[in-house]
Structures are given as C-alpha cells and as structure tokens.
Amino acid sequence: MSRRYRARRRKSSTSWALVLIVLILIGVWQGYGRHQSTAAGTVQATSTATASVSSSAGSDSFSSAFKAPVSYATALQYAQQESVATPHLAGYSRDSQFGDWQHNSSLCGYGTTRDYVLKRDLTNVVMNQYCKVQSGDFADPYTGRSMHFVKGEKTSTLVQIDHIVAVQDAWASGLWQASRAGERISYYNDPDVLQAADQTSNEAKGAGIDWDAASNPVWLPANTAWHCDYMAKRAYIKHRYRLTMSQGEKTQTVNLLTQCAAG
C-alpha cells in the first residue's frame, strides 16, 4: 500500500469526523429550539390565564358596603309584606322638603354626609384636615368598573351619592304625609339609604322608578351582578321607613328576590 493512499484515507476519516460533529451540533440546537418554543408557549398560556382571572374577578367584586344589610330571603319577606298604594306625586320639592347634606359629628364637625359615604365606599381614601374626602379608589357596583376619584371643580361630580330608594320615591310612597315631615332630613342623610355611584348611573336613574310602566317599573343598574343586592337594599329601606310600593314595583321586587333567594 503506497503512502499516497494511506494519506487519502486519513483525510477521508477526518472529513467523516467533522460531518459527525456538525450533525451532533445541529441535533443539540434543534432540541434547544424546541425547549425554548415550549417554554415560551407555557409563559404565554400562563399570562393569558392570569389576565382572564383578573378580568372575571372584577365582575362582582364590590365591597361589603354595597352588600344588602339583610339576606335575600329576608328582603323577599319584606317585599311580600309591603302595602300596595298609588304613589302620591303632588307637592314634591326636594330642596325645600329634604334639605341638603348635614355635617357629620364623626368627621371633625366639618365633613358632611357625602364625605362619610365616600369614606365608607371608597378605598385608599385621602382626607384633608377638615375631614373632607380629597381622593380615593372607587369600585363602582353600578357598572362593575373601577375609577380613581379626585375632588375638584370638574371632577367631584364624577362620583355622586345615590339614594337607593330615590328621594322622590320616598316622598311618593309615604314621606309626603305631614305627620312624617320630621323624618325627611334624616332620611336624606341616612347612610343606610345612601351609596356612592358613578355620575352616569345616578343621573340615568332619576326617580328610580317609572310609575307609568306596565311592568318592571324599577330601574336597575347596568351591572347585573349587583341586581340582587340592589333590590334587597330597596326592599329593606322600604320596610324600615314604612314606605309603600306600587303593584308593578312589588311584583318586580318579589319576582327578582325570589330568584336571588333561590340562588
């Protein structure tokens, strides 16, 4: 065997070794790529799941201040026991008969009922030295959305105070009576009657009931997750203040609370 042939074989062996090394490197790289792709997919799936939980958690996660003070079953009993009467609409004047927010003794004597309700219903509340709410975070049960409230000339009205049973409704269903005139200011300022609300919902609500409607006259908020507590609050307030209901109002209230109590 000549030296020339032996040299060629050594060169051929070296070439095959290089090819083998390249193939091994390619295999390692492909495996790494598949691992990275799988890991990225896992991270993306985890992120999507987290976003979904965050979104669904906000649909009915309102604070205890927005829960009904009685069970749905008890509220249903109140509604079933309510007296039915034709609403007395004549003679209503909100400002002259019910007044305005009163100063609250628990808020330095300077803060009003509005400040008391904002402090109760908002979180991360900031107050000034006069116990007046300056800012806070509001998880609005009327819409299911959240907002940051800042007191100001153009921003204070964005979060308003709603009477769950509107003042005109309270007048029409009992407080119109002269013998009950002394209850009007206290009703207007009763924290159990009041709830922080976004401007759009509160203004759309108006009197909270359409007495001319053939059926379902009671206004309900856009957030369906709050319907049961909202209606239970109405029934509780009507019972506590001995306020009557129209027939359509009673029917709607009983029907909805029956579903709520059944779960």
Side-chain angles (χ1 to χ4, degrees), residues 150 152-158:
V150 177
E153 183 178 348
K154 296 182 179 180
T155 57
S156 289
T157 58
L158 296 178

Side-chain angles (χ1 to χ4, degrees), residues 134-211:
Q134 303 300 295
S135 64
D137 296 321
F138 180 42
D140 182 16
Y142 290 77
T143 63
R145 293 190 290 268
S146 298
M147 67 176 78
H148 181 68
F149 167 75
V150 177
K151 183 177 181 178
E153 183 178 348
K154 296 182 179 180
T155 57
S156 289
T157 58
L158 296 178
V159 176
Q160 302 183 1
I161 306 301
D162 175 39
H163 290 79
I164 296 293
V165 174
V167 179
Q168 185 177 7
D169 186 359
W171 165 271
S173 56
L175 295 187
W176 61 271
Q177 301 172 61
S179 61
R180 304 191 63 184
E183 299 178 58
R184 295 170 190 163
I185 292 178
S186 60
Y187 178 86
Y188 191 90
N189 287 271
D190 184 352
D192 289 341
V193 175
L194 304 172
Q195 209 78 78
D198 66 286
Q199 179 181 21
T200 300
S201 297
N202 193 41
E203 293 179 355
K205 174 178 174 175
I209 185 169
D210 180 1
W211 288 290

Side-chain angles (χ1 to χ4, degrees), residues 9 55 64 97 198 206 220 223 261:
R9 287 194 61 178
S55 176
S64 59
Q97 293 158 347
D198 66 286
L220 289 172
N223 182 19

Side-chain angles (χ1 to χ4, degrees), residues 31-112:
Y32 177 79
R34 284 194 297 271
H35 173 75
Q36 290 295 93
S37 177
T38 303
T42 302
V43 170
Q44 183 177 3
T46 303
S47 298
T48 302
T50 301
S52 175
V53 170
S54 178
S55 176
S56 62
S59 62
D60 61 350
S61 58
F62 40 84
S63 72
S64 59
F66 299 106
K67 301 285 188 180
V70 295
S71 68
Y72 300 149
T74 299
L76 174 59
Q77 291 179 352
Y78 290 161
Q80 292 170 330
Q81 296 166 3
E82 282 296 324
S83 299
V84 173
T86 302
H88 182 96
L89 302 177
Y92 171 69
S93 175
R94 177 174 177 139
D95 292 340
S96 63
Q97 293 158 347
F98 289 84
D100 202 349
W101 302 130
Q102 302 293 297
H103 290 287
N104 191 296
S105 58
S106 68
L107 296 178
C108 313
Y110 294 103
T112 66

